[in-house]
Amino acid sequence: MQQYEIVIVLTPLLSVDAAAEGIAKFSKILTDNGAEIVQEDNWGLRKLAYPIQKKTTGYYHLTEFRAPGDLINKLEIELRRDERVLRFLTIALDKHAIAYNEKKRSGAFNQKKSVKTEEAAN
């Protein structure tokens, strides 16, 4: 099974509960079809780089998952059919991206610089 990452941008007209419900729908599609969700990260309401359908903000959600390749087509068809979705992007991760995401999840990039300078001084 290949590892993927998908970012979904939902319309800002939704309430927080409705946005969560939309994301839960797509997560359920993944799990029902044999995918394993590695991580979900809700980025919340953010400004778009350019207007989409006369909207300047959107609810962003990132999901990292392992799935068979044929599932991606089914998921993207459902995303295109849903009127709440402004944009989405699915990316197949290579071994370097998987390693980077694992380091990011473990907190390797969140260490303070003062700790590193103290270690270098010793």
Side-chain angles (χ1 to χ4, degrees):
M1 288 203 305
Q2 176 72 34
Q3 192 154 335
Y4 297 93
E5 200 173 69
I6 186 167
V7 176
I8 302 171
V9 182
L10 298 173
T11 181
L13 302 176
L14 302 173
S15 66
V16 175
D17 295 334
E21 177 188 322
I23 295 301
K25 172 188 170 187
F26 300 119
S27 296
K28 184 173 177 3
I29 290 171
L30 287 171
T31 54
D32 287 351
N33 289 296
E36 173 193 348
I37 295 178
V38 176
Q39 180 190 11
E40 288 187 307
D41 192 10
N42 186 12
W43 294 349
L45 190 65
R46 297 225 173 166
K47 188 172 191 261
L48 300 173
Y50 54 89
I52 301 172
Q53 300 174 2
K54 298 183 181 178
K55 294 170 181 66
T56 58
T57 58
Y59 286 104
Y60 281 74
H61 189 83
L62 171 85
T63 304
E64 187 178 342
F65 60 96
R66 287 187 194 90
D70 60 338
L71 175 59
I72 301 304
N73 194 27
K74 293 177 189 175
L75 177 65
E76 288 185 353
I77 288 171
E78 290 298 322
L79 286 164
R80 286 186 191 100
R81 287 181 180 163
D82 197 328
E83 62 188 24
R84 297 175 288 191
V85 177
L86 293 178
R87 290 281 191 278
F88 64 90
L89 179 66
T90 308
I91 299 171
L93 300 176
D94 62 356
K95 64 180 182 179
H96 303 292
I98 293 170
Y100 175 82
N101 285 347
E102 288 174 358
K103 285 181 184 178
K104 187 171 69 171
R105 277 194 298 274
S106 69
F109 301 123
N110 295 333
Q111 295 178 355
K112 294 184 179 180
K113 292 183 180 181
S114 62
V115 174
K116 291 180 182 178
T117 56
E118 288 176 10
E119 290 174 359
N122 291 334

